[in-house]
Amino acid sequence: MEHSEAEADMIHQKVRAILRGLDGQHPALQSDHGMLRWTLHKSLDRNSASGSVIVGILIKELEKAERTDNLHYIIPLLHTLMYAITKAAYISDELYERVYVFCKKILTLPKPYCTIGLDYANRLKTEKKVPGFSYQKLVTMEQNLRRDALQHQDKVLLFLDPNIISEAVCNTLLRETQATQISQTPVKCMSYVITNSIQAALGKDCNIQLLQQVLKDQTPEEVELWFQEVLSAVEHSSRENGIGRQKHCQRLQEIYGKMVGSSEEDVPVSKLQVIPCPSPDITVHLWTDEDQLWKELVLLTKETQNTDVEVDSFRIPDLTMDEESTEQNRISVWSNDSGIERDLPGVEEKESTKLQRKPCIKKKGPDLDSAVLLQNLTKAPKGSRIGTLQRLSGQSTEVPAEPEKLPTARIIILGDDRALGKLAKAYYSYRKREARRPHRTLKANLQFYCIPVRGELTDSSPDKVNPPTMDEVCEISTYLGLVDPWYEGNINTLCDMIPKLSVMPPCPTSDATSDPFILDVTSYYLRFGIQPVYFQIYSVKIFYRDTSLEPGEDVFLTELKAELQDCPSCKVSTLPRKKTATDARGGIQIHYKKALASNREKEGSLVLRTSGAVIKTIPHNEAKDLVCLNVYTDEVTRSSQCSTRHAPGNISVLRACSVQMRSLEIRTFTLQLDKDSRRVYSNVARFEVSPCQEPGYSLQKMKTQRAHGERNEVGGLSRYMSKSLLLPINTFAGIIQG
């Protein structure tokens, strides 16, 4: 009893420390959210009885936070609570009901509280009836243990750009993921699911030590048969209406009796056992190829759907021929005749005893393409968010049809804004390929996760002496930390921690089956970071001084930096600085569409002398979060149409939806995208920046205009489609309004 009271007191102290950090009372605690949360959940691995204690303390604090209107406690504590329920050995009906009632109570709160509360209320409704269902579904999906062709498949891809991430970090992550894959065999994961499902339902009425020994002595084929039987019983109970926990426990009691047989009589009853929760199966990829993301998604689609994704808008009609002949003639030339043998030249009519079709390929009609587009309209955020007061966030309330049949690719990007800019470019390329193949559009669910890590500075780097801060190189992650404090405490703290842990020598006595800290936090992020925040991708059209060169196009996510060539090395910055007499500035003209909260179109133009400009998509130290372009220059305009805001130090700020900029002198621009020295364009005479349109929308709009001549109005399916290409990055809460 003394040990349990001491354990409960220690858990309560950790929970209170998390709450003090959320209040901002102690900056040290505020940056240690991730470590506090990790140690709290690790206590579940040390003591199987601590699950009920953690759940009881957390639900008590949640109820108190709701009564005292401390809403900033709710989402962090609720995520921590649900992870404890998933990993707990046994939870009583009373605790399940108490948590379920609380989740229903917060449905009256604004977003994102009601959204997350509804999701967890639905989970708990099933968990009450089928204890252990969350664990079974989580492990089965992450480890792809099902063999059914129509079962949902999940794959986690971790992309590391070796030009950004140090070799030590790459090797550490590769070593940890490989060690986890070796220790987590499919048979062992199946055994975990079997034992957890039975223990969660029966509690102390079963001998888990005996059950584990029985599974250990069986062959992999026998373990898989038991796994399928337990899985069938769990899923049947979850789908069946009008039954309670008692009926489900009876089913698992029967399976448990068949597995242990008469051997249970000779073994004393054991206590509740700790069942490990395997980490997701993460594959590490060194991101050296621009098309690597597309190639990996093609492989995923082939593995899960067993289809040929490279065939562009073709299908095989139903023919009366053997399958081998069909496969050999899948790729062929177009057939211009009727396809009937007797109509071919040089063929006698008497030689044809029946009508037969030649092996050919039939192109999908526009009506079928439109039907596919209609089915997928609900899967993307609607409309353009340019000029609105709030950035789009959170999951759509509309559920796609048959989501279980679609594979999910969870893509983790490790790095700074350069890596996210590379992701935006790859995502745009992926969406363009999908637009050309409408019958394959959105055949996989893509979810993106961002873990900030500061890139290494080389000896020749100009910032070696004064390295940039995280706010400067990880603007996206910094913004996500501002709108979601739980992301700030759990994920942004990894920015400096991962490089430090990578250079530490591995502990020779560490257990290979234990979760390393980095991998454990990543798993937590994957499992509970399900609320996306959408970022507008911007396109830039580049016109060179040499008119013989074709204009170039590219996209960026966070920043476009334009410097006039032949200027001294004076950098345009969003921070105030003093003017110097050595600045050699040039004249440029800016034409723009002003960003207004009312979304009205208002154009403007100005001329100024400056050394360049920096165009950012996320405002710097601004209270208002307008989804627009923020143009920073180091010279106040002399134009009568001036509509800029003047920051201290002659740094003028212009908010616009789109921008056109050209040099008024012989000197040209040098453009750098997303702070990446590999994405530089020189000898640029002018350039245009605007929100990047969704390729599917652009293609459908062009088809409608060609067919109906609607030049000014948007008609057809395009009026219902998402106009802007948005990059969703998952967080724990989305955007919490202050």
Side-chain angles (χ1 to χ4, degrees):
M1 180 64 67
E2 292 180 359
H3 175 73
S4 61
E5 290 180 357
E7 181 81 11
D9 184 62
M10 185 180 301
I11 292 173
H12 189 261
Q13 290 179 6
K14 292 178 181 178
V15 173
R16 294 304 304 173
I18 292 176
L19 298 182
R20 287 194 299 271
L22 291 172
D23 285 333
Q25 298 176 1
H26 301 278
L29 293 176
Q30 193 172 7
S31 62
D32 289 341
H33 285 166
M35 186 63 69
L36 289 171
R37 194 276 315 164
W38 184 72
T39 56
L40 183 65
H41 284 150
K42 275 302 174 181
S43 61
L44 291 167
D45 299 334
R46 295 190 299 268
N47 184 4
S48 59
S50 62
S52 297
V53 177
I54 293 177
V55 173
I57 293 175
L58 290 173
I59 187 59
K60 183 178 179 180
E61 292 293 340
L62 279 167
E63 292 168 345
K64 181 180 177 182
E66 193 271 336
R67 288 194 307 269
T68 57
D69 204 26
N70 287 318
L71 300 185
H72 60 291
Y73 289 169
I74 290 181
I75 292 179
L77 291 182
L78 200 53
H79 283 318
T80 307
L81 171 65
M82 290 302 297
Y83 197 38
I85 289 178
T86 303
K87 296 187 67 174
Y90 181 82
I91 300 294
S92 64
D93 284 336
E94 292 76 12
L95 275 179
Y96 275 133
E97 181 65 23
R98 194 173 170 185
V99 178
Y100 178 64
V101 169
F102 175 80
C103 290
K104 290 196 301 181
K105 186 181 296 185
I106 64 174
L107 294 181
T108 59
L109 297 177
K111 289 184 178 182
Y113 305 101
C114 61
T115 305
I116 297 175
L118 178 61
D119 181 30
Y120 284 159
N122 290 330
R123 292 194 200 182
L124 286 165
K125 187 176 181 180
T126 305
E127 189 76 17
K128 282 172 54 184
K129 182 172 62 174
V130 187
F133 180 77
S134 298
Y135 179 96
Q136 172 263 318
K137 185 177 181 180
L138 180 73
V139 177
T140 303
M141 180 187 67
E142 289 180 347
Q143 306 298 327
N144 293 318
L145 299 179
R146 291 291 295 267
R147 299 292 186 264
D148 301 352
L150 298 180
Q151 177 61 24
H152 176 88
Q153 299 293 319
D154 190 281
K155 191 168 185 178
V156 182
L157 310 172
L158 174 59
F159 282 89
L160 305 173
D161 189 339
N163 293 316
I164 300 175
I165 305 300
S166 65
E167 184 179 357
V169 173
C170 293
N171 291 336
T172 299
L173 294 173
L174 188 62
R175 182 174 61 251
E176 289 187 0
T177 53
Q178 288 179 345
T180 303
Q181 292 171 357
I182 294 174
S183 62
Q184 295 177 177
T185 62
V187 174
K188 188 175 291 187
C189 293
M190 290 180 186
S191 300
Y192 292 157
V193 173
I194 295 172
T195 53
N196 182 271
S197 299
I198 292 177
Q199 180 173 252
L202 305 181
K204 295 183 179 180
D205 294 335
C206 62
N207 192 321
I208 292 300
Q209 285 184 333
L210 175 61
L211 181 60
Q212 291 173 332
Q213 186 61 43
V214 169
L215 291 171
K216 187 176 180 180
D217 296 338
Q218 291 184 343
T219 63
E221 291 77 13
E222 292 173 329
V223 173
E224 185 171 358
L225 288 176
W226 289 119
F227 169 76
Q228 295 295 342
E229 187 169 354
V230 170
L231 203 63
S232 177
V234 170
E235 292 180 347
H236 182 68
S237 298
S238 65
R239 292 193 301 264
E240 192 174 2
N241 296 323
I243 68 166
R245 179 171 182 169
Q246 185 176 2
K247 180 65 175 178
H248 172 68
C249 293
Q250 290 176 0
R251 289 173 177 167
L252 290 189
Q253 182 70 52
E254 294 176 1
I255 298 175
Y256 170 73
K258 290 188 295 183
M259 293 181 68
V260 298
S262 59
S263 58
E264 187 177 13
E265 300 176 358
D266 303 329
V267 180
V269 177
S270 64
K271 299 179 180 179
L272 295 175
Q273 299 296 312
V274 174
I275 310 298
C277 185
S279 299
D281 185 11
I282 301 176
T283 57
V284 180
H285 303 272
L286 293 181
W287 203 356
T288 56
D289 188 0
E290 292 290 338
D291 293 331
Q292 193 164 354
L293 176 62
W294 164 258
K295 294 176 182 177
E296 293 298 333
L297 294 176
V298 166
L299 291 177
L300 172 64
T301 309
K302 284 185 175 181
E303 292 172 0
T304 56
Q305 299 180 5
N306 195 24
T307 56
D308 185 5
V309 299
E310 293 300 324
V311 180
D312 189 3
S313 300
F314 296 116
R315 64 181 174 92
I316 304 297
D318 296 331
L319 306 175
T320 57
M321 62 175 64
D322 59 282
E323 294 181 0
E324 182 178 357
S325 175
T326 304
E327 196 66 28
Q328 291 176 352
N329 296 275
R330 183 174 295 274
I331 305 299
S332 63
V333 296
W334 288 108
S335 175
N336 296 319
D337 52 59
S338 64
I340 303 176
E341 291 185 357
R342 70 180 182 185
D343 293 341
L344 297 177
V347 178
E348 295 285 341
E349 188 173 350
K350 62 182 180 180
E351 294 181 1
S352 178
T353 59
K354 63 178 180 178
L355 300 181
Q356 293 182 343
R357 283 193 175 274
K358 291 168 47 184
C360 60
I361 294 174
K362 185 177 180 180
K363 185 179 181 182
K364 285 188 172 184
D367 55 337
L368 186 57
D369 290 347
S370 300
V372 174
L373 286 173
L374 274 175
Q375 294 175 1
N376 293 282
L377 288 178
T378 61
K379 300 182 184 180
K382 307 296 187 300
S384 173
R385 301 291 292 186
I386 298 302
T388 57
L389 288 176
Q390 183 179 351
R391 194 179 302 272
L392 183 64
S393 68
Q395 291 182 326
S396 173
T397 56
E398 302 178 22
V399 180
E402 299 179 334
E404 293 295 326
K405 296 184 180 181
L406 296 178
T408 297
R410 304 178 189 273
I411 300 168
I412 308 173
I413 302 299
L414 204 73
D416 51 24
D417 289 336
R418 293 175 293 175
L420 291 176
K422 188 175 181 179
L423 171 65
K425 185 176 181 179
Y427 184 57
Y428 174 64
S429 176
Y430 171 75
R431 299 294 293 174
K432 280 206 303 185
R433 298 193 188 199
E434 277 195 328
R436 294 196 297 265
R437 298 168 172 82
H439 64 292
R440 296 206 55 83
T441 300
L442 296 179
K443 289 298 183 182
N445 294 323
L446 301 185
Q447 297 186 15
F448 298 102
Y449 300 81
C450 168
I451 299 179
V453 174
R454 233 183 303 220
E456 262 194 329
L457 296 176
T458 60
D459 294 334
S460 59
S461 175
D463 297 323
K464 185 71 175 178
V465 179
N466 297 316
T469 62
M470 179 180 172
D471 296 352
E472 297 173 331
V473 297
C474 300
E475 291 186 70
I476 294 288
S477 300
T478 302
Y479 172 83
L480 294 177
L482 292 175
V483 299
D484 183 0
W486 202 234
Y487 180 92
E488 173 69 24
N490 285 272
I491 305 303
N492 277 349
T493 52
L494 297 177
C495 182
D496 296 319
M497 190 178 300
I498 290 179
K500 293 177 182 178
L501 292 176
S502 65
V503 297
M504 294 175 60
C507 182
T509 60
S510 61
D511 185 6
T513 61
S514 63
D515 293 331
F517 176 75
I518 299 175
L519 193 59
D520 187 81
V521 176
T522 303
S523 302
Y524 179 74
Y525 182 26
L526 288 169
R527 290 163 178 166
F528 292 90
I530 58 176
Q531 299 295 323
V533 175
Y534 294 87
F535 292 91
Q536 174 69 56
I537 299 176
Y538 288 88
S539 64
V540 53
K541 193 168 185 179
I542 302 168
F543 300 88
Y544 297 98
R545 175 70 68 185
D546 187 354
T547 56
S548 63
L549 297 177
E550 290 290 331
E553 291 186 7
D554 207 337
V555 296
F556 68 95
L557 185 64
T558 58
E559 177 184 291
L560 182 148
K561 185 177 182 180
E563 287 187 337
L564 284 173
Q565 294 180 348
D566 300 327
C567 280
S569 58
C570 53
K571 297 183 178 180
V572 178
S573 173
T574 60
L575 299 177
R577 68 174 184 83
K578 296 181 179 180
K579 289 174 58 178
T580 60
T582 59
D583 289 347
R585 303 174 182 181
I588 64 173
Q589 183 182 41
I590 301 177
H591 185 76
Y592 62 93
K593 289 184 179 180
K594 192 173 182 180
L596 299 172
S598 61
N599 212 16
R600 292 182 293 110
E601 290 190 3
K602 182 178 179 181
E603 296 186 359
S605 181
L606 55 91
V607 176
L608 50 83
R609 294 193 61 82
T610 178
S611 60
V614 175
I615 302 177
K616 289 183 174 290
T617 61
I618 297 177
H620 183 78
N621 293 334
E622 294 283 348
K624 292 184 179 180
D625 179 25
L626 285 177
V627 182
C628 64
L629 298 169
N630 298 273
V631 184
Y632 297 88
T633 58
D634 60 354
E635 179 79 356
V636 180
T637 178
R638 295 176 293 120
S639 172
S640 59
Q641 296 183 357
C642 172
S643 58
T644 61
R645 297 176 62 253
H646 305 305
N650 287 340
I651 300 297
S652 58
V653 184
L654 169 69
R655 287 189 180 135
C657 295
S658 60
V659 173
Q660 299 178 19
M661 194 175 298
R662 68 184 182 95
S663 174
L664 299 177
E665 302 175 359
I666 301 178
R667 290 185 295 182
T668 57
F669 292 107
T670 296
L671 305 184
Q672 184 182 50
L673 304 182
D674 287 322
K675 311 163 191 173
D676 195 339
S677 59
R678 297 167 296 177
R679 301 178 61 190
V680 175
Y681 297 88
S682 303
N683 299 320
V684 177
R686 64 185 179 93
F687 61 91
E688 302 173 358
V689 179
S690 60
C692 183
Q693 287 190 340
E694 170 68 47
Y697 167 80
S698 302
L699 184 62
Q700 188 65 26
K701 181 180 178 181
M702 182 180 63
K703 288 181 179 180
T704 303
Q705 290 177 347
R706 287 180 177 177
H708 305 288
E710 299 178 359
R711 296 296 178 183
N712 298 326
E713 297 183 2
V714 179
L717 289 178
S718 57
R719 72 177 67 183
Y720 305 106
M721 299 176 66
S722 176
K723 299 178 182 179
S724 299
L725 182 60
L726 307 177
L727 179 67
I729 298 180
N730 281 13
T731 63
F732 296 101
I735 297 178
I736 300 179
Q737 297 298 321

